[in-house]
Amino acid sequence: MDKPGKMLNRSLLLTYLYLLIYIMLSSGVILYNKWVLSPKYFNFPLPITLTMIHMGFSGLVAFFLIRVFKVVSPVKMTFEIYATCVIPISAFFASSLWFGNTAYLHISVAFIQMLKALMPVATFLVAVLCGTDKLRCDVFLNMLLVSAGVVISSYGEIHFNVVGTAYQVTGIFAEALRLVLTQVLLQKKGLSLNPITSLYYIAPCSFVFLFIPWYYLEKPTFEVAQIQFNFWIFFSNALCALALNFSIFLVIGRTGAVTIRVAGVLKDWILIALSTVLFPESAITGLNVIGYAIALCGVVMYNYLKVKEIRASQPPPESILDRTTKEWKMEKKSSDLHLPTIGGNNNSSVSDDHTASDSNFDEEAPLMASSRLSHIGRTQLNSHAS
């Protein structure tokens, strides 16, 4: 009975490791983008160009992973699905990245993270307008609390900039539209996209959308001003952004969307603290902290209501210990198939164990076909049967 306990400890350690990697990569990408775009540091004030580099690099890596190395199989994509789902999602995705990166030119990282507390408000309003959510009194009061906290935090901002705030808020609502459209359009079509297939279809389309404003807004800047371009800086920046997408996939695959929300709150606090140390102009005031704390209370209450609603509509999930024990037993059964059979007839046992491994679906990893141990058991069964 020690084996399930050891597997449980290893599973928890891996989960915490993935959470740590996600927080570090997410914080690193944001601080890196700020350093690259800020006129006081690397001085590359072209946010559309930086976003296009990210999209082009991500799309290229996804192409090689799918078409050359065949790590995952492409999703069956029809022209109708591409036109009605992928193109609108890509447009809002490109817009959210464009406006979000442009905000770094005008306001501090700390204030940007405080404004990001508006994301649940934007998502809720867009969902109500699109008919995917209902206007409930308790959620609406939480949204008012979040909005009031952000207003107080903005009032206490020392270097408040209307243009930068407008860019950031616009990017937040564009991201909210992308999230709601992803839920409405892709789920209705029955598609399930992991980060590799998502980047494969969405990144090139986002690159095309970004090319249009880039041609009119930033291309003339290249012809007039002398912009420094360091290959290794932009390559490492794009690599960090790509690694962040994969880390989000790993965290959701091992825990769930709720855990990544909690980790996101922790990441915001870490970013606010780090930005004040790395960028002296990101000084925060007591009113900033009070306003953000009020907004954060609303965000936490909103997440609690959402989790409560999801749990009420679903059967109780297996505990980690029960699931780990079941997977350990399944792995043991599958490995026992390699031992000599006394009766000389093991066809029935192969069939029974294969059925058991197929039914062991990891409910907390909707983007994965099965958990790691289930995949090991299935591989051993298939090789033995053949």
Side-chain angles (χ1 to χ4, degrees):
M1 295 299 293
D2 291 335
K3 188 72 176 286
K6 290 181 180 179
M7 291 175 59
L8 176 60
N9 292 332
R10 186 174 62 181
S11 178
L12 288 175
L13 285 175
L14 281 175
T15 300
Y16 289 133
L17 177 62
Y18 290 156
L19 284 172
L20 179 62
I21 292 173
Y22 158 71
I23 292 174
M24 290 176 61
L25 284 173
S26 181
S27 304
V29 168
I30 291 173
L31 295 173
Y32 204 167
N33 287 345
K34 173 65 176 179
W35 182 81
V36 170
L37 293 169
S38 177
K40 295 183 179 180
Y41 300 97
F42 187 73
N43 192 22
F44 186 80
L46 302 174
I48 304 178
T49 305
L50 183 65
T51 310
M52 287 177 64
I53 293 173
H54 290 174
M55 291 297 97
F57 181 76
S58 298
L60 187 64
V61 171
F63 175 82
F64 276 98
L65 290 177
I66 291 178
R67 293 299 182 183
V68 179
F69 299 105
K70 301 187 184 300
V71 176
V72 294
S73 301
V75 178
K76 187 178 181 181
M77 184 72 64
T78 63
F79 177 78
E80 179 189 1
I81 296 176
Y82 195 86
T84 59
C85 297
V86 175
I87 291 180
I89 291 171
S90 301
F92 287 112
F93 182 55
S95 300
S96 65
L97 294 175
W98 168 20
F99 293 129
N101 285 334
T102 306
Y104 290 119
L105 297 175
H106 305 280
I107 54 180
S108 66
V109 173
F111 187 50
I112 286 175
Q113 297 309 121
M114 295 177 187
L115 289 175
K116 284 183 179 179
L118 284 173
M119 178 56 72
V121 180
T123 306
F124 175 70
L125 292 177
V126 172
V128 170
L129 291 175
C130 293
T132 60
D133 204 346
K134 296 180 180 179
L135 186 62
R136 292 160 39 194
C137 182
D138 52 353
V139 177
F140 181 72
L141 291 176
N142 281 337
M143 299 301 100
L144 289 179
L145 184 63
V146 173
S147 302
V150 173
V151 170
I152 294 172
S153 179
S154 302
Y155 184 77
E157 175 65 16
I158 298 176
H159 306 291
F160 182 81
N161 185 284
V162 176
V163 176
T165 304
Y167 270 118
Q168 182 60 39
V169 173
T170 304
I172 288 172
F173 275 90
E175 176 66 10
L177 280 167
R178 183 190 72 85
L179 293 174
V180 174
L181 278 176
T182 302
Q183 179 185 0
V184 172
L185 298 178
L186 293 186
Q187 287 186 359
K188 282 186 177 180
K189 301 297 182 179
L191 293 179
S192 179
L193 299 178
N194 59 47
I196 299 178
T197 52
S198 296
L199 291 174
Y200 177 76
Y201 292 109
I202 293 176
C205 191
S206 298
F207 184 91
V208 173
F209 274 106
L210 290 168
F211 180 82
I212 300 172
W214 175 84
Y215 184 82
Y216 291 101
L217 297 177
E218 294 188 359
K219 182 178 178 294
T221 306
F222 277 103
E223 300 174 353
V224 177
Q226 292 182 351
I227 304 297
Q228 58 176 332
F229 190 92
N230 188 304
F231 171 80
W232 293 109
I233 286 179
F234 288 100
F235 174 76
S236 59
N237 183 264
L239 193 63
C240 289
L242 180 67
L244 175 61
N245 285 324
F246 292 150
S247 70
I248 293 174
F249 172 62
L250 290 174
V251 171
I252 293 179
R254 292 198 68 88
T255 57
V258 177
T259 304
I260 204 171
R261 284 183 178 181
V262 176
V265 172
L266 177 61
K267 178 210 68 177
D268 291 341
W269 281 109
I270 293 174
L271 261 175
I272 291 173
L274 281 177
S275 63
T276 57
V277 175
L278 298 176
F279 305 110
E281 69 274 11
S282 298
I284 58 176
T285 64
L287 203 57
N288 280 140
V289 177
I290 293 173
Y292 184 64
I294 293 173
L296 197 60
C297 289
V299 172
V300 172
M301 292 173 63
Y302 171 77
N303 288 339
Y304 172 76
L305 290 174
K306 280 294 181 183
V307 172
K308 187 177 179 180
E309 181 182 343
I310 292 172
R311 288 179 177 175
S313 61
Q314 293 180 351
E318 283 184 312
S319 66
I320 297 178
L321 180 60
D322 291 339
R323 195 174 69 223
T324 306
T325 305
K326 180 187 292 185
E327 291 179 343
W328 173 71
K329 290 180 178 178
M330 186 207 66
E331 184 184 20
K332 188 175 184 302
K333 285 182 180 180
S334 61
S335 61
D336 287 343
L337 292 175
H338 294 275
L339 298 176
T341 306
I342 298 176
N345 183 6
N346 59 353
N347 292 332
S348 61
S349 62
V350 171
S351 176
D352 294 340
D353 286 334
H354 185 75
T355 305
S357 67
D358 282 338
S359 64
N360 188 25
F361 184 79
D362 192 352
E363 296 178 354
E364 292 188 35
L367 297 179
M368 296 181 181
S370 61
S371 64
R372 185 182 63 85
L373 293 178
S374 300
H375 176 71
I376 294 173
R378 185 177 292 109
T379 304
Q380 292 176 344
L381 287 170
N382 290 337
S383 62
H384 183 79
S386 60

